[in-house]
Amino acid sequence: MIAPTSIGPDLNGPDAPPAASLPEAPPVLPLATIPYGFARRFGMAVVALDPLTVAWREAADPRPLLEVRRVLGRAFAVEPVSPERFDRILSERYAMDGQAAADAAGSLGLGDELMMLASDLPSADDLLDSADDAPAIRLINGIIADAARQGVSDIHIEPYETGLVVRMRIDGVLRETLRMPAHVAPVVVSRVKVMARLDIAERRVPQDGRIGLTLGGKLLDVRVSTLPSRAGERVVLRILDKDNAGIDLEMLGMPPAIDAVFRAALAEPNGVVLVTGPTGSGKTTSLYAGLRTLNDGSRNILTVEDPVEYAIDGVGQTQVNAKVGLTFATGLRAILRQDPDVVMIGEIRDRETADIAVQASLTGHLVLSTVHTNDALGAITRMRDMKVEPFLLASTLRAVIAQRLVRRLCPHCTTAAPAGPAVAALLGLAPTEPVHAARGCDSCGGSGYKGRIGVFEAVRIDDTIRRMINADADEDAIAAHAFAHTPTLATAARALVREGITTPEEAVRITRREGAAEAPTVEATHA
């Protein structure tokens, strides 16, 4: 490892000329002063301003450092870093920097310029390395780059008679970020369809596609869905950060008791493990974390998904394709002939898939899947509704994990205030005990929230619950036993409020409002 060195004379150090001839101090430079294309090609990037430091990728040609010295206009220290570390620096200093969207978009040219649509894809796959000047391309690049920087999950491009609106889902909530003239809508939508390799001449039927991009070395997979509407085609872009494929169980943030239940279920040689929750609650991320735990090379792990969100080395992943008859049920039948040890089904949504999943568990396979229900015990009712026999369900189900995502309070602007009678009754607090509220600042974009945290509940199917399922007991009876010593979603959410992590409004948003003992209070407060 080479020690940091200095390139060029330092005008503020021992080499400084007499005071009378000192030049003006150079302006403060942003971290991404070195152009991205130059930084990636020659392995050099600014990593600190005080003192000015340039990271240099080991084994790269050091001669371009002289050009960096000329561009920066001042001396700097050189810090040698490994190639892996340099790739992370590129992502942090360019893709996740606030200037990334502007660099990718350039001048958006929202006037007549935007009508000049290039017919070909950009020559470069990397948004920040693209020199294409077509305004529509730069607009889409800028929107996606800005969304990736903010951690956006979905981008909505919505045409109306009055204009084209771009909204982004940040921390689970949509916010309008851009409004353009109505006449640019066909151009923008067509450019997205070209990038996703969709039929730009077909505007009457929905279409689905994908865009594979890199942003400062950061891999992004963008799922594209178009839908005809009265004012034009609506487009939704779902951004999948491939770095999330590496999330393991420790990073999910499950409480120790929930984590123990999940790990115990994954250690079973056979059976069905279900993860429940609404769309966007992180179910697939939890299942992928479980698969990474099981993926030790000693098991044959196969999945059937719609769609395959993240690629995992060592796992055979199959994409559902209803157009050719490859449904969850047919895909599941096929992979059971591939000698699997572990099977993951993207979703159990019909009786046929449920029956095959149960039969697979009976024949010695561990089956992981998701079900769209409001809580953990709702999964048992849902499986019954799909006509799974109670005795089969009782003998095959191992555990059910329910999860939600609530928004975290912004640490820069959160404020504390007395709970008040209604909130105190909901949380079991004294009316004068403080709870935290969202205020809003520049750091969080005025929302008062920044990031999300998981809320979990788990039901481990023990002998008592197995007998209750076999006897066709109702949810309340099962809940009385299942949650006698473990928290429900509502209890876990209230704990986050007490700790100042989220607000009472967020807790109410995900709290069960029927069946449980606390439901009347929750519903009254929500109303």
Side-chain angles (χ1 to χ4, degrees):
M1 180 66 73
I2 305 173
T5 58
S6 180
I7 299 293
D10 190 344
L11 299 180
N12 296 317
D15 300 324
S21 62
L22 276 175
E24 293 184 5
V28 177
L29 300 171
L31 288 182
T33 298
I34 301 175
Y36 172 74
F38 184 95
R40 188 181 68 168
R41 179 180 176 185
F42 296 107
M44 302 169 186
V46 177
V47 291
L49 292 178
D50 189 18
L52 185 61
T53 306
V54 172
W56 172 64
R57 186 176 60 219
E58 291 176 345
D61 187 350
R63 288 176 294 179
L65 286 169
L66 297 176
E67 177 64 15
V68 173
R69 170 66 179 85
R70 186 189 68 78
V71 171
L72 297 180
R74 53 189 285 200
F76 57 84
V78 177
E79 180 183 348
V81 297
S82 67
E84 296 78 13
R85 172 61 183 151
F86 186 79
D87 289 342
R88 290 196 296 271
I89 289 173
L90 275 185
S91 179
E92 294 166 0
R93 295 293 181 251
Y94 290 88
M96 296 299 103
D97 185 79
Q99 189 65 22
D103 291 342
S107 172
L108 296 184
L110 296 182
D112 296 335
E113 260 187 79
L114 193 57
M115 301 304 295
M116 308 213 23
L117 179 63
S119 59
D120 297 326
L121 287 168
S123 58
D125 290 330
D126 195 311
L127 299 186
L128 299 185
D129 203 24
S130 175
D132 198 315
D133 290 329
I137 296 174
R138 288 185 282 118
L139 172 62
I140 300 302
N141 289 354
I143 290 173
I144 296 176
D146 190 52
R149 177 180 64 84
Q150 297 185 60
V152 169
S153 61
D154 299 270
I155 304 171
H156 293 241
I157 301 175
E158 305 168 343
Y160 300 102
E161 286 84 354
T162 56
L164 181 67
V165 177
V166 177
R167 296 194 293 168
M168 297 186 183
R169 189 175 295 279
I170 304 173
D171 295 336
V173 178
L174 280 173
R175 300 183 201 167
E176 182 178 322
T177 58
L178 186 62
R179 185 176 288 265
M180 294 173 283
H183 70 271
V184 308
V187 183
V188 173
V189 172
S190 294
R191 171 47 53 187
V192 174
K193 292 172 72 173
V194 168
M195 294 173 71
R197 295 176 174 82
L198 302 178
D199 185 355
I200 62 172
E202 181 56 77
R203 300 183 176 89
R204 301 166 298 173
V205 298
Q207 298 186 64
D208 296 296
R210 303 176 86 105
I211 305 172
L213 299 170
T214 61
L215 183 65
K218 191 178 185 68
L219 296 176
L220 299 176
D221 189 13
V222 183
R223 280 168 30 197
V224 180
S225 173
T226 70
L227 180 69
S229 68
R230 188 165 58 90
E233 288 182 281
R234 295 170 60 98
V235 179
V236 175
L237 310 176
R238 169 155 287 191
I239 299 177
L240 302 173
D241 186 346
K242 293 190 176 181
D243 289 348
N244 291 340
I247 289 178
D248 52 28
L249 286 180
E250 289 76 13
M251 299 171 65
L252 291 179
M254 287 183 175
I258 307 293
D259 183 74
V261 170
F262 195 23
R263 289 180 184 274
L266 293 174
E268 294 278 356
N270 55 61
V272 178
V273 180
L274 298 177
V275 180
T276 77
T279 300
S281 61
K283 302 185 300 296
T284 304
T285 300
S286 295
L287 285 182
Y288 278 5
L291 289 183
R292 285 180 59 82
T293 300
L294 297 171
N295 187 22
D296 58 3
S298 66
R299 301 176 179 90
N300 183 21
I301 303 175
L302 300 176
T303 76
V304 53
E305 307 171 59
D306 183 22
V308 175
E309 296 194 3
Y310 302 111
I312 305 177
D313 289 339
V315 176
Q317 297 171 274
T318 301
Q319 168 87 42
V320 166
N321 187 350
K323 294 179 181 178
V324 297
L326 180 56
T327 63
F328 278 116
T330 55
L332 183 53
R333 281 199 193 92
I335 65 178
L336 288 178
R337 294 192 290 270
Q338 294 276 318
D339 184 33
D341 298 293
V342 179
V343 175
M344 190 190 94
I345 310 168
E347 180 188 349
I348 295 179
R349 59 176 62 162
D350 54 45
R351 178 179 180 179
E352 187 178 12
T353 306
D355 286 340
I356 300 172
V358 169
Q359 293 299 325
S361 69
L362 288 172
T363 54
H365 303 89
L366 180 63
V367 180
L368 312 181
S369 188
T370 69
V371 181
H372 282 97
T373 60
N374 291 326
D375 51 33
L377 292 179
I380 297 174
T381 303
R382 178 71 179 125
M383 295 292 280
R384 287 169 172 170
D385 289 342
M386 287 188 281
K387 306 303 181 184
V388 176
E389 294 290 346
F391 72 92
L392 290 177
L393 186 60
S395 62
T396 57
L397 194 59
R398 299 291 180 260
V400 184
I401 310 293
Q403 65 183 73
R404 296 286 194 281
L405 293 174
V406 296
R407 291 182 290 174
R408 285 178 179 268
L409 281 163
C410 173
H412 301 287
C413 63
T414 179
T415 58
V423 173
L426 173 66
L427 302 177
L429 305 175
T432 57
E433 191 169 345
V435 294
H436 289 74
R439 187 176 64 181
C441 64
D442 292 339
S443 178
C444 59
S447 69
Y449 299 94
K450 196 165 188 178
R452 290 188 288 179
I453 186 172
V455 182
F456 303 90
E457 72 177 16
V459 175
R460 180 77 165 126
I461 309 300
D462 57 17
D463 290 339
T464 301
I465 295 180
R466 195 167 287 114
R467 287 192 296 269
M468 298 174 80
I469 294 174
N470 207 13
D472 217 12
D474 61 22
E475 277 191 42
D476 289 342
I478 300 175
H481 172 77
F483 299 116
H485 305 290
T486 58
T488 63
L489 283 172
T491 305
R494 288 198 291 268
L496 293 178
V497 175
R498 289 191 181 98
E499 295 169 14
I501 296 175
T502 190
T503 61
E505 292 80 7
E506 284 292 292
V508 169
R509 183 171 64 86
I510 63 133
T511 299
R512 185 182 180 200
R513 288 188 285 161
E514 73 278 352
E518 68 267 21
T521 304
V522 174
E523 187 157 9
T525 305
H526 181 71

